[in-house]
């Protein structure tokens, strides 16, 4: 495998909030996406999800609590926890998740 310019890959995506799989670690997918200021509706997953903000910030609502994840920070969303993206999120986000979870 060759190196991947994650920021460049995210910037080249045609639409915000549409992820691209960069690779896999075991059964987990490593994805990147470009965030814009748009909110994203609530969802939950059957497995933990790791959210790593490369640049910008991610504004979340997790089980009713408001959370801000800054550039260089990572947040683990526990399995089954309802979470939504609040307005104001922007930048580059890396997601590590189990497929079908």
């Amino acid at each position: 495998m060759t190196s991947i310019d994650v920021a460049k890959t995210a910037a080249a995506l045609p639409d915000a909030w549409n992820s691209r799989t960069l690779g896999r670690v075991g059964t987990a997918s490593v994805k990147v996406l470009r965030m814009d200021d748009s909110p994203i509706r609530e969802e939950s997953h059957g497995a933990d999800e790791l959210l790593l903000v490369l640049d910008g910030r991610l504004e979340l609502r997790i089980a009713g609590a408001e959370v801000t994840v800054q550039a260089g920070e990572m947040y683990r969303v526990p399995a089954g926890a309802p979470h939504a993206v609040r307005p104001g999120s922007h930048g580059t986000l890396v997601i590590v998740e189990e497929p079908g979870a």
Side-chain angles (χ1 to χ4, degrees):
M1 179 175 182
T2 60
S3 64
I4 299 169
D5 185 328
V6 177
K8 186 175 178 179
T9 301
L13 293 171
D15 298 309
W17 300 109
N18 286 326
S19 64
R20 176 173 177 209
T21 300
L22 300 174
R24 298 198 187 287
V25 178
T27 59
S29 295
V30 179
K31 300 177 176 182
V32 65
L33 61 79
R34 182 172 41 81
M35 300 181 284
D36 65 8
D37 290 325
S38 303
I40 301 296
R41 66 183 174 85
E42 186 174 270
E43 62 183 12
S44 63
H45 306 281
D48 290 356
E49 181 178 49
L50 293 176
L51 307 173
L52 170 63
V53 178
L54 293 184
D55 60 76
R57 75 171 185 267
L58 175 60
E59 299 288 346
L60 293 171
R61 183 171 294 109
I62 308 285
E66 293 187 355
V67 174
T68 298
V69 186
Q70 300 286 350
E73 295 180 341
M74 183 172 68
Y75 189 86
R76 181 183 61 85
V77 179
H83 57 286
V85 175
R86 297 183 293 129
S89 300
H90 65 276
T92 307
L93 179 65
V94 172
I95 302 170
V96 180
E97 65 183 4
E98 290 290 329

